[in-house]
Amino acid sequence: MRPRPARPRGGVARRRARLSARRRRGLRRLAGALGVLASLVLCVLLVRSDIQALQPPIESGPDVISAGPEPAATGWAGPQPDHGVDVSFPQCGRTLRDLDGFVIVGLDGGMPDRANPCFARQWRFARRQAGAAVYVNTADTGRGDPERLGRRTGQADVQALRDHGIAPGTPVWLDVELPRVWRGSPARHRAVLTAHLRALARAGYPVGIYSAPALWREITGGAPVDVPTWVGIGRATPERAAATCRRRAFGGVRPSIVQRIGTGSDGRALDRNLVCPGVDLTGLVGPT
């Protein structure tokens, strides 16, 4: 009697093949679904980005630039100088000679987020003179909330002043020039400057604004101000500086201080400053 041949195992192999095929189809469907989901997410992000790009920038700003309530300033007990100089990072490495006037020192290196590497040395020099004050740079990126930007810049200035041991009551001037760093509208710029001034004033620092008439018109639209002004007139004679004191320069007010480009003791260009007749330096320059 012949032995019965073994039953072929093809049925098991076919079932395994069908199972493997179903798994592959399932994986393909899952991959397709994930691809569609990724495409939808990308589309949503692109549309959202396009919408944000199309939204107009914030254009609101105050008509008058104000610091709000003025903080207490360090008063002068003795004679007040009627002249002085201002220095900053361009004077790094120069020998500064003692003088009988005041010194206003730039805290920044040309932009609000750049430090003047010589500030500590220059501030020590200023403190040996008849009076001292600080000026800070300003700018607008043209993006985001202008009030938040101005407030954040002002708060950074306050922290830097504290780090250098400069007490509240010391006057601080906002340097408003260089139109290329002002990338928004005049309304935005007014909002940035107002928030910047108020952050410093709330921290106890009396404030003022430095600018030139043409720059002020371009940056702010010629906005009026209710803080002291310090006007730059470029290379000029002492007589022209004195004449500038007698008329309104920018902001709708007569300047308290006029700056002209003169010459230092080393024969190189140096900013010279004249205090206008009848102006009290309290809140403009602190006694040392």
Side-chain angles (χ1 to χ4, degrees), residues 62 64-69 190 193-195 197-198 207 209 224-227:
V64 178
I65 296 177
S66 168
R190 295 194 297 270
L193 289 169
T194 298
L197 286 168
R198 292 182 177 180
V207 290
I209 294 176
V225 302
D226 69 355
V227 296

Side-chain angles (χ1 to χ4, degrees), residues 87 90-99 121-122 125 128 264-268 270:
V87 297
Q91 285 73 45
C92 285
R94 286 180 64 173
T95 299
L96 301 175
R97 304 290 184 184
D98 286 348
L99 62 149
R121 183 177 67 84
Q122 292 173 344
F125 166 74
R128 297 197 304 269
S265 58
D266 56 2
R268 298 160 65 184
L270 185 67

